[in-house]
Amino acid sequence: MSDDVEARIEEAIRNPQNLGEMENADAIGTVGSPDCGDMLRMWIKFKEEHGRKIIDRATFQSFGCQTAIAVASVATEMLKGKTAAEAQQMSGEELASPLGALPPVKIHCAQLVEGALRNALSGEAPQATTSSAPSLLSHMSEPQTGAKVKVVFDQK
């Protein structure tokens, strides 16, 4: 990974934007698997502006590598002001573009963010608002048939 990309990822990790659950979200998308450890949930809130329904705010919660967190952070900023159709057209590469070109081994991080976004905007109503929806941590802590989950928090 280039030094420039590493520096941008580290900056996004030091100052993550839009991190955390969102109450009364209009759309919620979750992707990933506790089996592999990478999971990401995205919340989206819309508003009406000039007769168009646009994304007012997007937040995320992630259990994954630093690159996935950095991509989600910059992506949630990029989504503001976009319609659902415009956001659905964005690729993982485009969502990660403020960080620079990701190395091939980290492309899955951008695809994780793209998947959560597409899941949220799939046209289905959110399963529940945040107040009654399980958190990503509780989802990962649920017993999985035939799977073992270990959640380790970084103590930095």
Side-chain angles (χ1 to χ4, degrees), residues 19-72:
L19 182 62
E21 298 180 28
M22 179 192 306
E23 288 190 33
N24 302 315
D26 295 317
I28 303 169
T30 305
V31 294
S33 166
D35 295 338
C36 73
D38 286 336
M39 292 189 70
L40 192 127
R41 179 170 286 170
M42 186 176 287
W43 291 264
I44 298 175
K45 185 73 174 168
F46 293 97
K47 70 177 181 179
E48 287 287 328
E49 187 175 275
H50 307 294
R52 294 177 357 140
K53 184 179 172 182
I54 61 168
I55 296 173
D56 182 44
R57 186 165 181 242
T59 64
F60 74 97
Q61 190 176 50
S62 176
F63 290 99
C65 70
Q66 290 184 338
T67 304
I69 295 167
V71 173

Side-chain angles (χ1 to χ4, degrees), residues 97-113:
S97 64
L99 300 173
L102 298 178
V105 71
K106 293 297 183 178
I107 290 174
H108 74 281
C109 298
Q111 291 169 338
L112 190 70
V113 175

Side-chain angles (χ1 to χ4, degrees), residues 32-36 39 136-150:
S33 166
D35 295 338
C36 73
M39 292 189 70
L136 190 55
L137 177 59
S138 65
H139 179 77
M140 287 187 70
S141 300
E142 291 173 359
Q144 303 291 320
T145 308
K148 294 182 181 180
V149 177
K150 181 178 180 182

